Amino acid sequence: MSISSQEILSKFWFNYCGRKSENVLSIFPPELHEYLLADIAVPCRLPSATYDAAAQKCQDDVQAIVRECMRTNNKFSDPEFDIDRDFSSNDDNCLFGIIRDDVDLGDRPGSVHRVPWIFENPQFVSNGFNSDIKQGNSKNCWWLAGLAAVSRRKDLLERICVARDENCGVYGFVFYRDGEWISTVVDDNLYLCEKDISSDIYDTTGRMSLTYRKHKQTGSDALFFAKCGGTDETWLPLLEKAFAKVHGDYAALDSGWAGTAVEDLTGGVTTVIRGDMLLCKERLWCELLAIGEGNLLFSLSTGSQGDGYRNGLALRHDYTVLDAIQVEDELGDTVSLVKIRNPWGQRCPSGYGDWVGAWSDGSESWTPFMMKKLQHKFGDDGTFWMSFQDMLDNFHCIYKTRLFDQQWTITQQWINVSVPWLGDYLKKRFILKLPQDGMVVLVLSQLDDRYFQDLRGEYEFTIHFALRLLGKRTPICQVQPVHHLDTRSVNCELTLEAGTYEIIPKIVAERDELYMPVEKMVCLAAYMNPAKLRQAGRSYDLAHAKAGEIDGGNLITTAAGKDPTFMQVLPTRLKKDLSGSYPKIMRHDTESKPASESGSDTESDSDTATDTTTDWDTKHTWSPSCVIGLRVLARFGGVEIRVTDD
């Protein structure tokens, strides 16, 4: 008996999308993480209150470490991020993630040493955080561009660099992660470019070793990763190390967007503006003029398309806006100029990286009058000027980050939602109650998977949301990402009247076949690199605990039961450990079934072919879910959030 085309489609969609969406909310058994369970709703509170708690914890941790150093008469060595031991053992877990297929091990640092060994006169800060920032052997221009914007404000960096004891070699920092402040401490071991001098060299006086060390392993230029412009300044490499630690390794900092870096360093909210889609130039220009005085910071991106350079600017690269001015030249004409910095700190060997158009160094736009008026000097320091219009024409994205002071309150809530294949607005939504009129900032985020990149799973999510009055059908606003790769959060700023609103999420999921499902990665990493899995798994569980629920059961056996073919990726010994009869576990979904299960022999050939095709399509069923959070910032208290799926 033949079946209709509609029945074939119905069967396909039932098998493909009929399975309940499931998200791995815990890597490890729940009893190991009972203390991590978070209340589903975080009460309204001042952002400085959570910052103060993190800063106080950081100070307490540093003081406790100093006391222990005094007791043992030893400098601090960080057991959680011990780059010295990790480098000596060639584990490289502080350098790279679980997956290392595309890692060039020839790019490893040469050695590891402590700050007093590297610097002749080490100083954490020597010029009020105003020293030049120079990118090292890492693809983290996005983070350094954001940091350069933040470093324009000494008070902002002092809030990040909370505590230290340079004699004991311990430094404490705080960062912003998924709506909360976190703290960490690091020791003063740093990676150097050059290897130590060979022990095979005959050097009875030690003179050759001292000369080698002075020329190749001394000062900021000897560092493998980021460095300050000052020869003996240490705040930048230590801050970068702390940021790498909380994310698991230095490789986790590769590639990103400057706007998210500013968020991670300040707790601010970044709005992305497309230079070629700007509606009101005057409005943006007025905001740029307030840099350094108000509550806005700016950074730039040349976009994600292409390689090489355009008009001297590096493509796929981020820059910092340092200043914006409006001046009159000697002819009385008004000129709008923007001062920009490249995180490289200098041009590349081929001479590119800085703007080469009007108002660039050496440009005829720089008359003696304008040179004197702006006190500008030509030089290869990564800093250059360009006109406001040229900035709009040559930078794909402009990142505007709003900072929040004590007058703002934060209310937030996180939930786990199933993501339908159609990718439209969800039934599960947030209900927001505002007690009074005023300006609010609404931020819808997914978890920052940079903290557990190799456990991100096979789905990528893009989030949107619509805002409307409860009971009304017409949206007040509909928010979507401006850049297709910058998908961590979306937000809007607007003034609302007191009342009850609903924020309706829309999540579009795409399966990326290049990424391994979480359960497969965990089983593989447990065998291949358990130490790295412990670190990444804890970070994963901490983040997903925000959803207020933890998966139970045995992860490995549950995963094997759901997808028998996943065992094929595991080494033979591990397969045997997981199943005494792994050939059965490795069976293919399309293997022959007993006659009693396969149906009647009277079915036509066409029917059998149709069923086989439909069964084959169910091998990769659709079952994504995503943890999202709504954060509401307002200049008043009493904001309430609840969740409904009515």
Side-chain angles (χ1 to χ4, degrees), residues 523-573:
C523 295
L524 185 63
Y527 175 81
M528 302 297 294
N529 194 343
K532 191 64 181 177
L533 177 61
R534 292 186 193 103
Q535 172 268 312
R538 290 190 185 103
S539 188
Y540 183 102
D541 289 358
L542 177 64
H544 287 77
K546 286 179 174 292
E549 50 186 306
I550 290 291
D551 273 2
N554 186 307
L555 176 65
I556 294 179
T557 56
T558 301
K562 292 175 182 175
D563 182 7
T565 61
F566 95 98
M567 299 293 287
Q568 297 175 16
V569 305
L570 300 178
T572 301
R573 194 180 81 189

Side-chain angles (χ1 to χ4, degrees), residues 335-352:
V335 183
S336 300
L337 298 176
V338 183
K339 188 177 184 180
I340 298 171
R341 190 176 189 282
N342 182 352
W344 291 347
Q346 60 187 14
R347 300 182 187 93
C348 68
S350 59
Y352 293 102

Side-chain angles (χ1 to χ4, degrees), residues 375-387:
Q375 298 181 340
H376 181 61
K377 295 181 180 179
F378 296 158
D380 186 14
D381 59 359
T383 301
F384 56 88
W385 290 86
M386 65 193 309
S387 72

